[in-house]
C-alpha cells in the first residue's frame, strides 16, 4: 500500500475512535447524573436566604434625588442608583 493509503487509514481510525469516545462520554454523563432530584428550570427561590431586610427609616435622606445630567439628551432618561449598608 502507498503512503497515502496508510495515512488515510490512520486518519479514519483516529476519527472513529474520537467519535466512539464522544458517544461513550455523553452516555456516561447522562447515566451518572443524579436522577433522585427533579430537574428545575427557570427562577428558583432562595430558600436559605431568609426574609428580605427592610429599608432603614432614613433611607430617603441617604439617597438624594437624582440631578439632571450635564448634557441632557432630551429623551427624559435619568440613570439613578442608591447603595447603602443597613447593617
Amino acid at each position: 500500500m502507498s503512503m497515502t493509503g496508510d495515512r488515510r487509514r490512520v486518519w479514519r481510525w483516529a476519527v472513529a475512535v474520537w467519535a466512539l469516545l464522544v458517544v461513550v462520554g455523553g452516555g456516561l454523563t447522562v447515566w451518572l447524573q443524579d436522577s433522585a432530584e427533579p430537574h428545575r428550570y427557570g427562577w428558583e427561590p432562595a430558600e436559605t436566604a431568609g426574609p428580605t431586610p427592610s429599608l432603614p427609616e432614613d433611607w430617603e435622606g441617604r439617597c438624594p434625588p437624582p440631578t439632571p445630567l450635564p448634557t441632557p439628551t432630551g429623551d427624559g432618561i435619568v440613570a439613578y442608583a442608591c447603595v447603602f449598608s443597613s447593617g
Side-chain angles (χ1 to χ4, degrees), residues 10-62:
V10 170
W11 180 251
R12 284 183 186 171
W13 271 102
V15 170
V17 168
W18 175 80
L20 180 66
L21 287 174
V22 167
V23 170
V24 169
L28 283 173
T29 300
V30 170
W31 181 56
L32 292 174
Q33 283 181 344
D34 188 11
S35 60
E37 293 184 23
H39 294 286
R40 296 182 180 181
Y41 299 100
W43 185 267
E44 295 183 21
E47 298 166 356
T48 60
T52 303
S54 60
L55 293 172
E57 293 189 21
D58 63 339
W59 72 270
E60 291 173 338
R62 294 184 186 186

Side-chain angles (χ1 to χ4, degrees), residues 49-83:
T52 303
S54 60
L55 293 172
E57 293 189 21
D58 63 339
W59 72 270
E60 291 173 338
R62 294 184 186 186
C63 296
T67 57
L69 298 173
T71 56
T73 58
D75 56 5
I77 296 175
V78 176
Y80 180 66
C82 180
V83 180

